[in-house]
Amino acid sequence: MLLTYEKFKTFTPNAICDATKSTEVLTCLSMESREKVDEMVRNAIAAGGTTYKEPQDHGFMYAHGFQDLDGHIWELVYMEPSPVDRVESAQE
């Protein structure tokens, strides 16, 4: 849910932290391709988000991310299917 701060305060007895000053959560989403990772980051930046580091290419895994307008960190990753997964899928 996307809520205003006033509405969100009705869901918790705790103070709402300022995610631009401390890390509250880091959310990681798995994407279906490297292109989808880059597309999501581009869309986030176009909507006012920012990047906080360069994309990471580890060969078997590609990752990039952004910070949203509230300072929350979103990591996006694509992992190459393992050879075992590809063989099992081909046999089905």
Side-chain angles (χ1 to χ4, degrees):
M1 279 190 277
L2 296 175
L3 303 171
T4 63
Y5 289 110
E6 290 305 314
K7 183 66 175 174
F8 187 57
K9 287 178 186 178
T10 68
F11 284 81
T12 178
N14 301 324
I16 299 172
C17 79
D18 181 349
T20 63
K21 295 181 179 160
S22 60
T23 300
E24 180 180 20
V25 296
L26 187 149
T27 304
C28 184
L29 302 175
S30 178
M31 307 298 287
E32 60 191 48
S33 68
R34 294 170 60 106
E35 293 78 18
K36 292 291 184 182
V37 169
D38 291 337
E39 178 183 356
M40 181 76 86
V41 172
R42 279 193 307 274
N43 290 340
I45 292 169
T50 59
T51 58
Y52 54 93
K53 64 180 178 181
E54 294 297 314
Q56 304 292 307
D57 189 344
H58 301 284
F60 69 97
M61 181 178 78
Y62 178 74
H64 200 190
F66 62 90
Q67 281 187 288
D68 66 23
L69 297 175
D70 290 320
H72 298 110
I73 294 174
W74 296 82
E75 282 282 333
L76 308 169
V77 299
Y78 169 69
M79 292 188 68
E80 292 285 340
S82 73
V84 173
D85 292 338
R86 288 193 295 257
V87 170
E88 288 175 355
S89 293
Q91 292 175 348
E92 292 177 356

